[in-house]
Structure formats: C-alpha cells, structure tokens
Amino acid sequence: MFISLNRIKLTLGLLFICSLTFSQKIDSLTHTYYAVGNNTVLNLDLHHTELIITQCNSDSIGIYTNISVIPDNPTVPDAGIINRTTQTDESHVSLKIDITDAIQPHNEFKAYCNITIPSKTHLIIKNKYGIININAPQSQLEANISYTNLNINSISEKDTQSITSYYSTIKSCDINHLIIKGENSNFTANKINKIETDTKFTIYNIEEVNTIQAQTYTDKFLINKAKKVTITGGKSICFIDKLSDFLQCELNKGKLRIQYIDKDFNTINLANTGVHCQLSFDQNCHFYINADMRYCSLTQDRLTLKEVKSPNGTLYKGSYNKQLENNSNVSIISNNGDVSIQIKE
C-alpha cells in the first residue's frame, strides 16, 4: 500500500456531559493529507454525512472529518462507526464513512467532512442521507446519491458529468454535458450545453439548454430557453418558454406547451398519444405542416390548410406564411390528444 510522507493524522476525543443520565457525547476529529499526482481519482463512500469540497493550490488532498456520537459504551466510542481513508497510489485516494446497526437514533450520530482537492481531480461519490456542496472544479464527477441534497457550485467546463439520483435534490451551475438517471428527484440548473436524462418522477427546472435528450416517465420539464429537444416516454409534462430550432416529441399521455417558437426554427415532429399540445409560433415563421389527427382536433386560425376526412380522424396539409425556399417543417401525428397552434403577434 502506498503511504504518503505528507500524511498527517490527528485524532482527538472530546467528552461532554449531555444529560442528567450521564450520557456522553464524543467528537472524533481527523485530519489526513495525501500527496497526489495529476488526474487523481478521489472515491467517496459516505452515509449520513455533510460534505464540503473546496479547491486547494497544492498537490495534495486534505480530508478533515468530525464525527459526533453518543456511544452505548464509552470505552469503545467508535463501535459501529466506519471512518477509513486509504491511498493505493499517487492517483487513487478513498474515504468511507458508514454506520452499522449498532448506532441507534438515540446515539445522535452526526458526521461532517471537509475535503480540499487540486484541480483536475476526478470525483466518484456515493452518498446516502447527506448534504454535499462542491465548490471546486474537477475533471469529472460521477455521483450516485440517495436522499441527498447536492449543490454543484463549480465544475469542469468541458467534461461529461454523470449523476444517478434517488429521492434527492440537485442544484447546479453551468454544465457542459450531463447524464442523469434515477427517480423521484428535483433538478435545477442555470445553463447546460447538453443533458441526457433517463428518469422517473423527476422535476427539471432549467434556465437554458442547448440540447436535451430525454427518456422520461412521469417527469416534468420546465425549461426557459431550449435549442434542440428530443423527448420520448410517457405520462410526462414538458413546458418550454422559448424554442429556437428543433423538437422531436414521442409521448404516451402527458402535456406539451411551447410558449414561443423562433421564426428561424428548423423542424417540429410530434408523434403522441393522449398528449394535449399547445404550440405558439412567431408571426414571422414560414413553414409547411402535415397533421394526422386521430380521434382529436387541430385548432388554429392563421394557417392555410386542406382537410381530408378519414375513418379515424382528419388529415391536414398546408402552410403558414409560405416562402419559395427555406421553409421549416411541422409534422404532427396525434392520437386522442388535441393540438392548438397559435401565431404570436
């Protein structure tokens, strides 16, 4: 096992009288430093821990932990607690904080961890029942979290980040490329270049996204600005304030609403079942439209359309503000889901 010469470990035990029943609360403080090289991988496996990650200017990883507990047996205060740091080589450091069934609610277990990392550190985080604040740029993030609040305040501008989230809340700054999976979570971000989702029962609040590719089930997307959107799945809601280029939507039940579609958009393709849609176009748009409305209606008042009745519904073909070239395209196949098209003045 690789042992750094810069490793310093200090453990202090502090005892406090907590109640008239002579129960004793013990704080265990640990400082550990590891000298590392470039492109270091830091692997964190934490439970019931509040974690803060900040950047350092040195070539070492510093790990500070503070674990508080009221032990059942003061002579073995760390019984049931795992607090272990290891370094296998100059590029791999790991920390594990966990508790066993020996720790009961009345033990009042609480763990706090502050880690400083050099730039370009690769973070692998597994966390359950915790709070995480990342305030340092790193080359890559791989997070698997449950019942956790994750706040990403600094991140690489070019690498791909990966998050698997269950029953958690995620708030992020600008991200280049994010892959997110899981269920029952709440995701908020400012600006994302590309996001790929495969989630259930999750709410997305995104201010601006260049490309979103969503595999969804019972999710809700609230997006202010989007360039390219591809969404496939069922029982989901997608509300977009401004769409500038492309939409591909294949949903089984749900709602789709776009408040404003830019005049220079390229393509909109809808192939939905049981989805109520509202599309609002800039008045300077010019596009061809083909619509196959099955057991539902298409409402509009500004388009030039030809209608062909069929046994199952109505076929529409026409245009809006047609030009001789560079027309955009709108294709709609809707089964049991009304579509409303509006022109914004």
Side-chain angles (χ1 to χ4, degrees), residues 25-215:
K25 182 178 180 181
I26 295 181
D27 286 355
S28 176
L29 310 181
T30 303
H31 286 166
T32 310
Y33 295 89
Y34 295 102
V36 295
N38 294 326
N39 302 315
T40 300
V41 177
L42 176 60
N43 198 319
L44 306 175
D45 186 357
L46 309 176
H47 290 73
H48 299 274
T49 300
E50 180 180 352
L51 170 66
I52 297 178
I53 297 176
T54 57
Q55 184 178 5
C56 68
N57 296 321
S58 66
D59 58 353
S60 65
I61 291 177
I63 301 175
Y64 166 82
T65 63
N66 182 352
I67 296 179
S68 301
V69 69
I70 299 176
D72 290 322
N73 184 355
T75 61
V76 282
D78 58 351
I81 300 174
I82 299 172
N83 181 15
R84 181 172 63 242
T85 59
T86 56
Q87 181 178 26
T88 55
D89 56 47
E90 67 174 7
S91 298
H92 293 86
V93 176
S94 63
L95 165 67
K96 183 179 180 67
I97 297 178
D98 198 2
I99 60 174
T100 69
D101 294 338
I103 304 298
Q104 302 300 319
H106 63 78
N107 294 121
E108 297 184 13
F109 175 88
K110 186 176 182 180
Y112 170 82
C113 183
N114 191 330
I115 299 178
T116 57
I117 61 173
S119 61
K120 298 183 179 179
T121 301
H122 180 175
L123 290 176
I124 301 176
I125 301 176
K126 181 179 179 182
N127 194 92
K128 190 173 184 179
Y129 303 114
I131 299 173
I132 301 174
N133 289 282
I134 300 177
N135 301 313
Q138 70 287 322
S139 63
Q140 192 173 357
L141 170 67
E142 297 178 54
N144 191 324
I145 59 175
S146 302
Y147 305 96
T148 295
N149 289 336
L150 171 61
N151 298 300
I152 305 172
N153 301 309
S154 180
I155 207 164
S156 168
E157 296 180 354
K158 62 180 181 178
D159 294 289
T160 299
Q161 319 301 328
S162 175
I163 299 176
T164 301
S165 173
Y166 297 92
Y167 301 93
S168 297
T169 297
I170 304 163
K171 294 183 179 180
S172 177
C173 61
D174 297 354
I175 298 180
N176 176 54
H177 185 191
L178 173 65
I179 299 173
I180 182 168
K181 301 179 180 180
E183 59 185 62
N184 287 285
S185 295
N186 194 321
F187 176 84
T188 302
N190 181 28
K191 186 176 182 180
I192 302 177
N193 181 41
K194 182 178 181 179
I195 181 172
E196 301 175 58
T197 79
D198 186 0
T199 54
K200 300 178 180 179
F201 308 103
T202 294
I203 299 175
Y204 294 88
N205 283 274
I206 302 175
E207 181 64 24
E208 184 175 352
V209 60
N210 186 52
T211 301
I212 178 169
Q213 296 177 344
Q215 181 66 44

Side-chain angles (χ1 to χ4, degrees), residues 11-30:
T11 303
L12 303 175
L14 304 177
L15 305 182
F16 299 94
I17 301 295
C18 296
S19 70
L20 295 178
T21 59
F22 302 103
S23 60
Q24 296 173 327
K25 182 178 180 181
I26 295 181
D27 286 355
S28 176
L29 310 181
T30 303

Side-chain angles (χ1 to χ4, degrees), residues 292-296 308-315:
D292 183 354
M293 310 302 296
R294 305 171 186 177
Y295 306 107
C296 55
V308 178
K309 297 294 183 179
S310 69
N312 299 327
T314 305
L315 302 176

Side-chain angles (χ1 to χ4, degrees), residues 233-237 250-256 271-277 294-296 333-339:
K235 297 184 179 179
S236 295
I237 296 173
E250 300 180 34
L251 287 177
N252 184 6
K253 297 183 181 179
K255 293 181 180 180
L256 171 67
N272 298 324
T273 298
V275 177
H276 293 276
C277 301
R294 305 171 186 177
Y295 306 107
C296 55
I333 301 175
S334 185
N335 189 349
N336 283 294
D338 296 338
V339 176

